Amino acid sequence: MRRHPLLLLALLCVGATAVASAREDRILILGNPAGSQSVSATAAGAHAEYSYNDRGRGDHIVADWKLDAAGVPVEYTGKGNDYMKVPVEESFRLANGKASWSNRTEHGERTQVGEAFYIPANAPPEMLGVLARALLKAPGHRLPLLPAGEARIEAAGTAEVRDAAGAKVTLSHYRISGLDFTPTSIWLTRDGDTAALVSGWFTVVPPALAGAVPKLAAVQEQADTAWSARVARELTRTPKGDLVIRNARLFDPRDLRATPGMSVWIRGERIVRVAADADLHAPADAETIDAHGRFLLPGLWDDHQHFGGVDGALDLANGVTSARDMANDTDAFPKRVARFDAGTELGPRVLKAGIIDGTGEFAGPTKMRVDTAAQALADVDWYADHGYAQIKIYSSVKPELVPVIANEAHARGLRVSGHVPAFMSARQFVEAGADEIQHINFIELNFLWPQVQETRNRDRFIKVAEHAREFTPDKPQVRAFIDFLKRHHTVLDPTMSVFEGLFCGDPTAVPPGLEDVAPRLPAQIRRSLLSGALPVPKGEEQAWREAFPAMLRLLKGLHDAGVTTLPGTDALAGYTLHVELELYAKAGIPNAEVLRMATLTPAEVMGVDKDRGVIAAGKLADMILVDGDPLRDMRDLRRVDLTLKGGKVFEPAAIEKALGIAPRAR
């Protein structure tokens, strides 16, 4: 599971107690111990060091800062490594009315009148506590942010918990806006010191309050759920009766044709009839939407997501009506899916894949960690009993446990996919029972077996960048493996856009393909997209430049041979799916086939094509209206004007406005 593109914000949005004396806090990832943060007062201000391990990745930052009387930083220095273990060094200074800053992705200065709070690019968690205290002192409880944006804070109630000694502690819940699409929770003590931040993914909490995490999480979930429900009420339009879409150019992924002058009659959540405009006679009181010749196609699928925050809303804003979550927590996430289904939170239809990993230093963020066959069987059965459609095997699973997991999953009616575990080749993974492989780099690594076996570290990226250009579809070794995948009906979830960003060589750039999207996003979201590229080793520049084009050629070879591909992102929801599909077209796959891959193919693979994947009588009314012709130019798919999920109507422009996203250019 790749780190969510907004994890930078999560790291900024965690707290600890105030800097009164030296102390240490725990860092938890999905409830598992993952690291620590120490904070101490110094003669000049404050000092912090924090680090955590997420599958061999994770930040390690040592930082010092000084504040003015308003609690705003006037000096900040930080040094260490970022999530991908890239060295980072950062500084900020405010002196004589001039603010200046420098980090791996940004260098700037500005004449500063009045207070403004600099947000470090790679901050220790304690910085959110600093920000919260500054906001509470600020006029109107709001402050401009540097390099851009504005933050504000509001009270959201209190919670009474018990510390490790059993004493009652009253904590105040605050929500800070301006760091993410939605408000970010933080807990303060009676004295205004920061107590904790709790989230499903990344939590920082002092040991004395570790037992309070479930209660704090429940309070936050209630506030977040109320916010989501309000947004859903405001942005969901349910037709009072029948609905007819007329004068559409309708795309059918079964025959890859687009037919003009078509009408679709919808009643409730299903399609009643599809016919030429002149042949469809709906009730006189039916609501009519005139498509004005725009392109109508089935709702899109994103087959690789990890839902959190407003991912569901971003999906609907970009025409995604069905999705597959490829690993999440087992507590809050199923409740989110239930809210999607009930319409109390904006989101697509979601099929759940349950992750299982091994133990050890590189273990993934999941409670389902196994060392024995008995443990593996128990976890598969838990997922099957709780409505999951698929098992995702992760990188630290012992190779000998793969067939155990696969056999039990298949017996329970679940598909099996995953990262290829370390010390196992992709061929062996398929032979052991895997139906699908996540990420195209594991296909590339098959050609490096057995020279590269430890694939839980960065070698699973770096070795691919070094050698991908060697593995073209015309090579006998490559051809043989492609034929093997075809014979075994193996499905590929390639997440091509992930590797375009990793291998682009420019840490100051937003992910390739999002150049037009990023300027529209809120300032801190936009900023969090930076620094996704891995550093290119000296002497390897040419290999890295040729790596991603070679991976596109491999994708085309796999497609031409008949290997089924499911488009997924593992990144910023909605917008990145458009980039992924554009990359398939760039690889040379005909646009009509790309549209089929994004609509009908996932429904068939996941066994839900009875209801989804085609605009036809009896199917669910999941469809999107596009202002353009994606058969001619795949980039036109970005221009989604209307999304229908189960006959309910959503306007992408309204969703974006509610999330603080600027309108797209017309």
Side-chain angles (χ1 to χ4, degrees):
M1 176 167 51
R2 185 173 181 249
R3 184 177 67 156
H4 193 283
L6 300 184
L7 182 56
L8 167 64
L9 298 178
L11 299 181
L12 291 175
C13 300
V14 290
T17 55
V19 187
S21 60
R23 72 176 198 285
E24 186 162 310
D25 304 310
R26 295 177 182 172
I27 294 177
L28 309 174
I29 295 181
L30 285 182
N32 295 308
S36 64
Q37 173 187 240
S38 63
V39 185
S40 59
T42 67
H47 173 85
E49 179 172 2
Y50 98 106
S51 64
Y52 68 96
N53 173 41
D54 176 22
R55 297 159 288 172
R57 291 165 280 176
D59 299 63
H60 179 195
I61 299 294
V62 178
D64 294 271
W65 61 88
K66 292 168 56 177
L67 309 177
D68 65 11
V72 170
V74 293
E75 287 186 20
Y76 174 89
T77 59
K79 189 173 183 179
N81 63 259
D82 67 9
Y83 178 77
M84 294 300 291
K85 298 300 184 184
V86 178
V88 293
E89 190 165 354
E90 182 166 14
S91 63
F92 168 79
R93 182 175 176 81
L94 177 62
N96 301 318
K98 179 180 287 187
S100 58
W101 58 91
S102 176
N103 55 58
R104 184 175 180 237
T105 59
E106 301 164 326
H107 305 277
E109 63 179 31
R110 179 180 305 168
T111 300
Q112 186 61 43
V113 179
E115 301 288 357
F117 196 102
Y118 175 71
I119 300 288
N122 295 94
E126 173 66 7
M127 286 307 293
L128 185 77
V130 179
L131 174 60
R133 288 184 281 277
L135 286 168
L136 288 171
K137 291 181 180 180
H141 302 312
R142 59 177 62 211
L143 280 170
L145 299 177
L146 292 173
E150 180 185 82
R152 56 195 181 279
I153 193 170
E154 61 182 3
T158 62
E160 189 174 88
V161 299
R162 293 186 182 273
D163 64 16
K168 291 182 180 180
V169 180
T170 300
L171 302 179
S172 296
H173 182 201
Y174 287 87
R175 286 159 67 84
I176 298 176
S177 300
L179 300 178
D180 204 340
F181 288 113
T182 60
T184 299
S185 289
I186 187 169
W187 294 90
L188 305 181
T189 68
R190 286 183 182 273
D191 298 327
D193 302 335
T194 314
L197 178 128
V198 179
S199 75
W201 169 255
F202 192 95
T203 294
V204 174
V205 62
L209 292 177
V213 167
K215 183 169 184 177
L216 300 182
V219 173
Q220 290 180 193
E221 183 180 5
Q222 185 176 14
D224 292 341
T225 298
W227 184 93
S228 297
R230 177 183 61 79
V231 171
R233 284 194 304 271
E234 293 173 354
L235 298 178
T236 304
R237 183 166 69 82
T238 303
K240 295 179 180 179
D242 290 1
L243 175 66
V244 178
I245 301 175
R246 290 197 176 274
N247 190 24
R249 187 174 178 224
L250 190 147
F251 175 74
D252 191 331
R254 293 170 296 189
D255 61 13
L256 305 181
R257 294 177 57 190
T259 305
M262 297 295 290
S263 289
V264 180
W265 176 2
I266 299 164
R267 175 173 293 160
E269 67 173 6
R270 300 220 172 238
I271 299 167
V272 175
R273 190 173 179 223
V274 178
D277 290 333
D279 297 332
L280 192 145
H281 304 289
D285 60 351
E287 177 184 343
T288 299
I289 295 175
D290 190 339
H292 296 289
R294 286 173 291 179
F295 200 89
L296 186 68
L297 72 159
L300 304 175
W301 282 71
D302 186 335
D303 294 281
H304 196 130
Q305 290 191 257
H306 303 284
F307 279 94
V310 294
D311 289 342
L314 294 175
D315 274 345
L316 292 182
N318 287 277
V320 177
T321 60
S322 291
R324 190 176 60 175
D325 187 283
M326 291 306 299
N328 220 306
D329 76 278
T330 54
D331 299 317
F333 168 62
K335 298 177 186 177
R336 184 187 297 275
V337 175
R339 294 194 297 271
F340 288 169
D341 293 341
T344 56
E345 182 172 341
L346 296 181
R349 307 179 193 278
V350 178
L351 295 173
K352 305 188 296 290
I355 185 173
I356 296 176
D357 202 6
T359 59
E361 176 188 359
F362 297 105
T366 176
K367 298 175 184 177
M368 305 300 200
R369 296 180 175 180
V370 303
D371 273 322
T372 68
Q375 293 170 334
L377 294 174
D379 286 354
V380 171
D381 288 341
W382 189 95
Y383 282 127
D385 292 341
H386 287 80
Y388 284 68
Q390 189 161 325
I391 296 296
K392 179 182 180 181
I393 295 172
Y394 210 64
S395 300
S396 291
V397 169
K398 296 175 181 177
E400 61 267 27
L401 292 181
V402 172
V404 175
I405 293 171
N407 290 340
E408 180 68 7
H410 290 150
R412 296 296 307 270
L414 277 63
R415 291 170 43 75
V416 177
S417 72
H419 290 202
V420 175
F423 312 109
M424 190 178 205
S425 70
R427 177 183 285 267
Q428 292 167 346
F429 187 51
V430 172
E431 289 173 339
D435 305 300
E436 178 181 339
I437 293 174
Q438 264 73 56
H439 309 300
I440 197 169
N441 64 314
F442 287 106
I443 303 296
E444 301 275 6
L445 287 166
N446 188 77
F447 309 131
L448 294 170
W449 175 270
Q451 291 82 6
V452 179
Q453 297 192 38
E454 174 55 275
T455 55
R456 295 172 295 178
N457 56 23
R458 292 199 308 165
D459 277 359
R460 74 170 179 263
F461 307 127
I462 293 170
K463 295 301 182 183
V464 170
E466 291 174 354
H467 296 284
R469 61 179 177 175
E470 302 167 18
F471 306 124
T472 54
D474 59 312
K475 297 288 181 65
Q477 176 191 15
V478 177
R479 188 80 255 156
F481 187 56
I482 291 176
D483 292 342
F484 169 86
L485 295 174
K486 172 61 178 174
R487 288 196 309 274
H488 285 77
H489 307 288
T490 307
V491 174
L492 174 62
D493 162 21
T495 63
M496 299 299 293
S497 58
V498 168
F499 299 99
E500 185 180 30
L502 283 174
F503 299 162
C504 75
D506 185 359
T508 68
V510 299
L514 294 178
E515 295 88 351
D516 294 340
V517 174
R520 300 170 49 211
L521 302 177
Q524 292 300 319
I525 304 291
R526 182 170 66 245
R527 191 172 179 232
S528 75
L529 294 178
L530 301 175
S531 193
L534 290 169
V536 181
K538 189 173 182 179
E540 294 288 342
E541 294 84 358
Q542 187 64 26
W544 282 62
R545 275 194 297 271
E546 295 181 18
F548 189 69
M551 295 170 81
L552 287 178
R553 290 193 293 273
L554 177 60
L555 178 70
K556 177 63 159 53
L558 287 157
H559 173 78
D560 289 348
V563 175
T564 300
T565 299
L566 297 181
T569 59
D570 204 10
L572 179 66
Y575 301 99
T576 310
L577 180 67
H578 299 160
V579 177
E580 184 79 7
L581 300 179
E582 289 160 20
L583 289 173
Y584 297 178
K586 183 178 180 180
I589 301 172
N591 286 15
E593 295 179 27
V594 174
L595 294 181
R596 177 169 59 193
M597 293 160 68
T599 55
L600 179 57
T601 300
E604 292 175 334
V605 169
M606 299 306 298
V608 295
D609 50 311
K610 176 178 178 293
D611 289 320
R612 304 184 230 174
V614 175
I615 299 175
K619 306 284 187 182
L620 290 166
D622 295 356
M623 62 193 77
I624 61 175
L625 196 59
V626 173
D627 182 18
D629 184 1
L631 291 177
R632 178 187 57 84
D633 185 347
M634 192 57 64
R635 285 182 60 87
D636 282 359
L637 198 57
R638 299 182 180 217
R639 307 177 70 85
V640 179
D641 280 350
L642 212 62
T643 299
L644 275 73
K645 175 195 167 190
K648 294 180 179 179
V649 182
F650 304 90
E651 296 184 11
I655 296 174
E656 289 184 328
K657 183 178 180 181
L659 299 180
I661 301 170
R664 70 172 187 255
R666 288 285 180 179

